Amino acid sequence: MTRRYVKRGSTPCRTAALHAGALVARTGDEMSGPALMLAGLARTGSAAAGAALLAGITVAAAVGGPLLGALLDRTARPGRLLATALVLYAAGLTLVLLGLGRLPFAVSVLLAVVTGLLGPALSGGWTAQLPLVVPAGGLPRANALDAMTFGAASLAGPALAGGTAALLGAPPAVLVSAALIGAAVPATWLLPARPGAAHGPRTASVPGDLAAGVRALATRPRLARATLISVVCCVAQGMLTACLPQLGERVLGGAGRGTALLSCAAATALAANALLARFPRAVAPDTVLWTTPLIQASAHALAALSPAASGGPALLVMAAALTGIAEGPALTALFAVRHREAPARLRGQIFTTGASLKITAFALGATLAAALSPRSLPLTLTLSATTAAAATLLFFALPASAHRDTVPPSTADGR
């Protein structure tokens, strides 16, 4: 008979605290980008300066994610390292703000880049620690709840940034975002030690761990497939997001109304993940991975039709709603596959590397759309729809178990 047990430290209170901390920290993170853009404009008088700060704090994620993940995997108390990363991230945001108008602007951008190295701590680094506190059998629901914090944060963060900037000014908005990130430190600091930590430190070097993480992502078929699908979908998401201001102008009567559709998408993503949290085993994660890109492609196709259609506003709102319905469950399914397929000793690195790849893919999609959409908005959106649909084709084109390096259940779910 298989012995079932609950790990020391895996209590509902600790799980709730981790989810609450994730919500607070991710809200601060979602708030920081708009707040930095507004602060850059306020302190320099240039909208380009704000955009440069945003680019600086996101571009470094591709480098910081794998390294941070490898360090999280090597430490016996990953919660302590994660807490330190949150403190440094909050401090970095504050330093960027203090330097604006006082230091050469290039120095402020450099500070933003250095701060951005720690950004993946708020996404993949946090999610990778769920098995430390989740009770036995509770990981599917925990994945859905964790994905919900992303949706809720993407709703609340930009609204808080705009509201705080309107009431108190842009610089205080940056400070509030840093304070929210810092407020989440206790939730990570109190995380229990990693199981098996008493066996002592590993002997492999950090470069060796980085190489092992890359091999795991590339050679474990189901993990590689899920990662590639998520990256392709993020390219399409970046393309649609970059098109929203133009869609707002043409269909809704204002560029700001177009970007407000992001809140609509976040709301439906939150609702879809709430349903998944209620019924965590209703649909297999792999099924969600190949169906949601089709929903996303349909949403982008509706957006492409909206400028020329008589019911354009309704089509565009429907497109935003469908986008959230696709993106929310897709994120939950991705977390489930990572927890299931990633070796426990590399879980942090795989989560943070995956998050870095998605951020980079989103930026590439937005850059591509920025170049194409002024020439033809419908063509750009058609391309984004085609890109999303291609993710489903990749699911069936890539082998799921050609030579699968099976992860024992006791390792895959952290128990």
Side-chain angles (χ1 to χ4, degrees), residues 2-369:
T2 302
R3 182 183 179 187
R4 298 184 62 83
Y5 63 96
V6 177
K7 299 188 302 295
R8 179 173 57 87
S10 60
T11 66
C13 289
R14 281 194 171 181
T15 304
L18 192 65
H19 287 313
L23 176 60
V24 171
R26 287 165 179 165
T27 298
D29 187 40
E30 291 287 344
M31 184 181 181
S32 66
L36 275 179
M37 287 196 295
L38 292 171
L41 174 62
R43 290 281 178 88
T44 67
S46 169
L53 289 174
L54 179 62
I57 207 165
T58 55
V59 73
V63 175
L67 181 59
L68 178 62
L71 293 175
L72 284 170
D73 288 333
R74 291 178 66 84
T75 180
R77 299 299 299 259
R80 304 287 173 88
L81 179 58
L82 195 56
T84 303
L86 294 180
V87 170
L88 293 176
Y89 192 77
L93 289 173
T94 305
L95 287 175
V96 172
L97 176 64
L98 294 175
L100 282 174
R102 298 181 177 88
L103 300 173
F105 183 69
V107 175
S108 296
V109 173
L110 179 61
L111 285 172
V113 171
V114 174
T115 301
L117 290 170
L118 301 167
L122 297 168
S123 51
W126 199 296
T127 304
Q129 310 315 316
L130 281 176
L132 292 179
V133 297
V134 173
L139 201 55
R141 183 171 183 270
N143 283 330
L145 291 173
D146 187 59
M148 285 176 65
T149 67
F150 283 94
S154 64
L155 267 174
L160 278 174
T164 305
L167 290 174
L168 304 175
V174 178
L175 294 178
V176 171
S177 70
L180 286 173
I181 293 169
V185 167
T188 56
W189 187 265
L190 297 176
L191 280 172
R194 190 190 310 281
H199 296 303
R202 65 180 73 182
T203 57
S205 64
V206 172
D209 284 349
L210 288 171
V214 172
R215 284 196 301 271
L217 277 171
T219 60
R220 290 176 178 255
R222 295 174 188 267
L223 183 59
R225 183 176 65 182
T227 301
L228 182 59
I229 288 171
S230 69
V231 168
V232 172
C233 285
C234 272
V235 173
Q237 291 165 19
M239 294 179 72
L240 177 64
T241 302
C243 291
L244 286 178
Q246 293 180 68
L247 283 169
E249 285 183 340
R250 296 190 188 185
V251 181
L252 303 177
R257 296 176 182 177
T259 54
L261 292 171
L262 291 173
S263 295
C264 177
T268 54
L270 191 61
N273 275 331
L275 187 62
L276 280 181
R278 180 68 179 84
F279 305 101
R281 292 178 174 82
V283 186
D286 297 279
T287 302
V288 175
L289 281 179
W290 73 260
T291 54
T292 50
L294 294 178
I295 300 174
Q296 183 181 343
S298 301
H300 293 202
L302 287 177
L305 294 173
S306 63
S310 57
L315 284 179
L316 192 53
V317 172
M318 187 183 302
L322 282 175
T323 297
I325 290 171
E327 293 178 3
L331 186 61
T332 299
L334 178 63
F335 289 167
V337 172
R338 285 177 181 166
H339 279 301
R340 186 188 72 200
E341 303 294 329
R345 69 183 185 87
L346 298 173
R347 183 177 286 121
Q349 185 186 165
I350 285 172
F351 268 88
T352 55
T353 300
S356 301
L357 291 172
K358 290 179 65 179
I359 292 171
T360 303
F362 186 94
L364 289 175
T367 301
L368 179 60

